[in-house]
Structures are given as C-alpha cells and as structure tokens.
Amino acid sequence: MPQPHLRTVVVLAAGEGKRMKSTLPKVLHPLLGRTLLGHVLSAAAPLAADRTVVVVGHGADQVRAHLTEIAPDATPVLQAEQLGTGHAVRIALDAVPEGTGTVVVINGDVPLLRPETVGALVTAHEEAAAAATVLAAEVPDPTGLGRIVRDSDGRLEQIVEERDADAAQRAIREINAGIYAFDAVRLRDALGKLSTDNDQGEEYLTDVFGLLRSAGEPVAVHVAVDHVETLGCNDRVELASLRRLLRDRVNEAWMRTGVSLLDPVTTWIDVTVALDRDAVVDQNTQLRGATVVGAGALVGPDVTLVDTIVGEGASVVRSHAVGAEVGAGASVGPYAYLRPAARLADKAKVGTFVEVKNSEIGAGSKVPHLTYVGDATIGEQSNIGAASVFVNYDGVNKHRTVIGSHARTGADNMFVAPVEVGDGAYTAAGSVIVDDVPPGAMGVARARQRNIEGWVVMRRAGTAAAEAAQRARDAKGAQRAGDAKGAQRAGDAKGASEAAGTASDSEAMHGRAETVGGASGAGDTATE
C-alpha cells in the first residue's frame, strides 16, 4: 500500500534564549498580539499541514500550556537535552508516522515571516522535486548568521555556521534564514547520518544539505523577497527592533485599507485587531487583542483598548478599556476606565473620571463625570449625577443596582445594592439610596442640616480656622454695629424731620387761627 503524501510542519522552540535574560522561554515573548511562537505558527497555518510538531525544551511546561491555548492540534515533542537542530528535527519526526511528502522546518523566533513567503518556499521546493530547499536572504549585516555558500554555477554548495566559517565565507551576505523544506523520506535518511564534528559538538540540520548534495540529491535555495521577514531575535534589544518593524508593517497595511492613523510612530496595533474603513486613530494609542473599531469611529489620543469593541461613529478619548463594548455613536472620556463587561448602548456617554464595570448603560443615557458604576443596569435616556457611587460589594458578594429609563439621579448619590430606581424617578442630591424608588417618585435620603454656632472658636481655639472664623465674626459684628448706628442716625434724622414738620404744622395752624380770629373780630366790629 502506498504511503500518504503529507505536509508536516516542525517548529524548533526548545532553545533557552540565554541572552533574553528571562524566566520566560524566548519563544513566548510577546510581539503585537502574539508570542514569537504564535507568529511562526500563524505564518505556517495557510499550508494546511496534516500535522504540526513543536519541539519544546526549556520551559517546556509553559510552552505546552501556550500551545493548548493557541494551537491545540499541534503536537509538542520534548527535546530534553539540546543537542542541535538536526537532533531536534529527528526526534520530531520520530513522534509522527512515517510517510512521503514535505517537511517544513521553521525556527521559532522569526515573527516577521509572512505566510506568502512560506508558501512560495514550499511551492518552489515541490515544483523542483528537490530533496531539500533552504530559504535565504541578502542582509546588510550577516554577523552571527549561517552563510549560504554557492558553487561557481550559483548552486548551493553548503551552509556554514559563522563560528565554523573562514574569513572568505564570513564576508558572504547571503544568509540562512533558518527555514527549510525537505522531502520527508530523504530527510529521515540524512538525519541518521549527522555527526557532531563541529565547533559546538551538535547535530546541525544544515549538514543535511551537504550530505544530500554528496549523494547526488538535488538541493536548492529560495531567496526571500524581503530580508526583514527572516530576522530573528536573541535579546530584548533585537525584540524591540522587531516590534517596531512589525508596527510599521501593520500600520501601513491599515492605512492602505482606508484607516487614518494620525501618528503611525506612536500607534501600536496588534495583528489580531480589526478596523473598519474611515476609522481614525489618533496619537499615543494602543489597540490590543481582539479589539474591533467600527467605521468612522475616533479612537485617541492617549487610548488603550484591549479586547474592546467600538461601534460605528463612536469616540473614545484619553481612556482605557478592557473587554468592553462601546455602541454606535457613543462617547467615552476623557479619562474614563471601562472594565470587563462594561457595555454602552448606542449614543450613551461615559465622561470624565468615570469607571464602569460589569454594567449596561442604555441608549442615550449619560454618566458624565466623577462616578463609579459597578454591577448595574441603567435604562435609556437616564442621567446619573456627578460624584455618584454604585455600592455593589457587601464584603462577601456583589449585588446589582437597576436604574430605569428617563431617570434623573442627583449629584453625590450612593446606590447601595441591591436597589432599584424606577422609570422616570428622581433622587435628591446627597442621598444614600438604600430602598427602591418607585417609578416617577423622588427619592430623598439625607438628614436635615443643623449648624452649631461658634463650635470652631470654642473647640479649635488657636487654629488658623478659629482665627479666620473669629475675624469673620468680628467683621460681621462690626457690620451689624455699623448697620445699627446707621439705623439710629436715620431714626434721629427722621425724628427731627417729623418734629420740624410738627412745629411747622403748629405754626400754620396758629396762623390760620389768628386769621380766622381776625376775620371774626372784623366781622364783629363791622356788625357792631
């Protein structure tokens, strides 16, 4: 019975990465939404390989756990002792059934590798019916990398590691990218013939090419279009460099699809993020994980979104969100924090210094400022007053608050869950709401104010507050005294005026009396 023709992917991920100086295995270091290993597996995914084997070693348990999350169909194979790349591939193939076909081997630290490049390598290899094909690249600085040595006809003669290379070979700038395609049967045969006669005392996978060529088998070189794809990393400086290169690649791709990035240098977008046309991303913005930004939405400046959905036409400014949903036309920020399961309906508003967790805010409802909303449901077109707190935790369990639609809650409210404020209800400023407020009612839950006169002067004598209070009392007393004196003067003036008026009236009356008397006398006299 003929053996099946298969494609097998082998990823070499057993190295310690000493220069990373980390307890985290090198292949698990993150880079814009995926680990180094995750990027490599993603680049190989379009091959639709029949089986994928990942060789693990240092931090094997961590790498296995990560594979369970991102590639559960991959088979981890332990290389307990790192005896070279040839040894790693040999134990990988020992873990899978024999068969014909193509074996693709990829180093686990080349995160910029494109699926198109892997596909082109495999296609070239299979069309040429080669025994082995190596991916090469022309690089500006080949230091530390294996060199591709060609014969006078331009064919592959050998692959030489730098530490084993002579001066002439070290001057070569065409390097081995650490990515290969092999004929499965001929690879297995050659792996059994590898030796450790080299500077490191290891089984080099690259020696397979020399063995195959010596046996008259066809070997080939496929050159990558862009050498940047082949870059690996050995320390955190190189990792940071790769991160910047990937950032630029991702940002350029989004801009070419119709997304506006106002400052690409300060914009970091994970490869797992999705953006719609006409979205605008302002400076100093990070979009991570499974974040989705809708058409025409504005995100930034100074925004971090993790696994967050932003609806069409919404805006998020100077805010942080994790696992949240922002509806179409809604607005967030500045300086807001949306925690997991915060869900804003269309045209809702979460404003300045507002934190929302595990809560739904209905369409058109507003939480403008200085408020914590936790474990709550807010209906439509409601307004939450400033400095409010949804008191959801009793020290053991979380409880829920429900605010109805078209409700108006006062500033400085506390809603002690579980509690419900009905549709169209109001609550007074400064209230601590512990009982349900019926629809259309006004909830008032605050004590009547009383003032204790002179308390500070009596109880805090000698303090700046007491002195200020005393000055104010003295000034007020002086004002009262002045007012009293002014009133007295006004009263005296009024009294004098009234007295003068009385005298004048008396004189007038006396004059009238004399006149009347005179007339009477005259009359009398005349009569007489």
Side-chain angles (χ1 to χ4, degrees):
M1 175 182 259
Q3 293 179 319
H5 189 89
L6 304 171
R7 280 182 176 174
T8 301
V9 170
V10 176
V11 179
L12 305 182
E16 181 180 1
K18 292 181 180 179
R19 282 178 280 176
M20 297 296 286
K21 300 187 185 305
S22 176
T23 57
L24 189 68
K26 181 172 77 169
V27 296
L28 297 189
H29 280 262
L31 190 78
L32 292 189
R34 295 192 183 111
T35 60
L36 297 178
L37 177 58
H39 281 289
V40 169
L41 290 171
S42 179
L47 291 177
D50 299 276
R51 52 206 181 186
T52 298
V53 181
V54 179
V55 181
V56 300
H58 288 281
D61 289 342
Q62 291 173 276
V63 178
R64 286 193 192 99
H66 183 58
L67 285 172
T68 300
E69 295 177 3
I70 68 167
D73 293 334
T75 302
V77 173
L78 179 65
Q79 186 185 24
E81 187 178 3
Q82 279 68 61
L83 299 177
T85 51
H87 174 255
V89 173
R90 180 154 52 81
I91 64 171
L93 295 183
D94 287 345
V96 297
E98 291 189 16
T100 60
T102 301
V103 175
V104 180
V105 179
I106 309 176
N107 283 336
D109 65 346
V110 283
L112 302 185
L113 185 65
R114 295 178 188 268
E116 298 85 351
T117 300
V118 178
L121 168 68
V122 172
T123 298
H125 169 77
E126 293 178 345
E127 288 181 350
T133 304
V134 58
L135 183 68
E138 189 85 14
V139 299
D141 181 7
T143 303
L145 302 172
R147 308 303 202 275
I148 299 294
V149 180
R150 296 177 182 261
D151 61 20
S152 58
D153 295 324
R155 294 174 298 187
L156 177 65
E157 183 175 293
Q158 62 178 324
I159 302 171
V160 182
E161 297 298 321
E162 183 174 69
R163 66 181 61 199
D164 298 315
D166 58 31
Q169 292 169 337
R170 290 188 180 188
I172 297 171
R173 291 194 296 114
E174 188 176 32
I175 59 91
N176 167 24
I179 301 156
Y180 316 91
F182 296 98
D183 173 78
V185 174
R186 287 178 278 190
L187 173 63
R188 285 181 184 270
D189 180 65
L191 288 172
K193 300 175 181 177
L194 291 177
S195 76
T196 57
D197 185 18
N198 51 59
D199 184 66
Q200 288 183 284
E202 295 181 350
E203 296 178 26
Y204 289 164
L205 180 62
T206 51
D207 286 348
V208 166
F209 286 83
L211 291 170
L212 291 172
R213 190 172 185 275
S214 297
E217 299 284 3
V219 295
V221 180
H222 180 79
V223 181
V225 174
D226 183 1
H227 78 275
V228 169
E229 292 186 52
T230 69
L231 296 177
C233 69
N234 292 304
D235 58 31
R236 297 183 195 243
V237 174
E238 292 178 349
L239 180 62
S241 177
L242 295 183
R243 186 176 288 111
R244 289 190 296 270
L245 290 168
L246 185 56
R247 174 204 62 196
D248 293 344
R249 177 197 290 180
V250 170
N251 289 355
E252 179 179 340
W254 281 120
M255 288 187 285
R256 294 195 183 282
T257 66
V259 174
S260 292
L261 304 184
L262 303 191
D263 186 11
V265 174
T266 63
T267 300
W268 298 83
I269 303 174
D270 281 358
V271 296
T272 49
V273 167
L275 298 95
D276 285 341
R277 182 176 296 182
D278 290 323
V280 178
V281 182
D282 209 336
Q283 65 183 2
N284 297 323
T285 293
Q286 300 180 61
L287 306 179
R288 298 177 177 173
T291 291
V292 176
V293 179
L298 169 63
V299 176
D302 308 319
V303 164
T304 298
L305 303 180
V306 182
D307 299 330
T308 292
I309 298 173
V310 179
E312 181 176 342
S315 67
V316 182
V317 178
R318 289 192 169 91
S319 298
H320 190 105
V322 180
E325 296 180 16
V326 179
S331 65
V332 178
Y335 312 116
Y337 181 20
L338 304 183
R339 292 168 58 190
R343 292 184 287 275
L344 280 63
D346 295 353
K347 297 183 178 180
K349 174 182 176 64
V350 165
T352 308
F353 300 116
V354 173
E355 180 179 347
V356 181
K357 186 270 296 183
N358 190 30
S359 298
E360 298 89 35
I361 298 176
S365 288
K366 299 178 181 179
V367 187
H369 31 224
L370 301 166
T371 293
Y372 170 68
V373 180
D375 298 290
T377 299
I378 299 172
E380 299 180 355
Q381 303 296 331
S382 290
N383 189 86
I384 307 301
S388 293
V389 177
F390 287 64
V391 185
N392 56 336
Y393 186 48
D394 64 7
V396 178
N397 298 307
K398 299 289 182 71
H399 302 280
R400 201 158 190 85
T401 295
V402 177
I403 307 291
S405 296
H406 299 277
R408 299 289 183 270
T409 68
D412 196 26
N413 276 192
M414 290 199 177
F415 302 98
V416 183
V419 71
E420 182 171 351
V421 176
D423 291 349
Y426 280 54
T427 59
S431 292
V432 179
I433 303 298
V434 297
D435 296 317
D436 291 351
V437 180
M442 163 67 88
V444 182
R446 62 189 183 201
R448 186 174 294 276
Q449 179 177 326
R450 67 189 184 98
N451 299 330
I452 304 174
E453 291 291 340
W455 186 91
V456 173
V457 173
M458 291 185 294
R459 301 296 297 273
R460 296 293 185 267
T463 64
E467 292 171 1
Q470 188 61 56
R471 286 194 298 270
R473 293 181 67 183
D474 292 345
K476 190 171 183 180
Q479 182 180 358
R480 287 176 177 172
D483 290 346
K485 189 173 182 180
Q488 182 178 0
R489 288 175 179 170
D492 291 346
K494 183 177 181 182
S497 175
E498 290 175 349
T502 301
S504 178
D505 290 345
S506 298
E507 291 173 358
M509 290 178 64
H510 180 66
R512 286 197 298 275
E514 288 178 344
T515 300
V516 172
S520 178
D524 290 346
T525 302
T527 300
E528 292 177 351

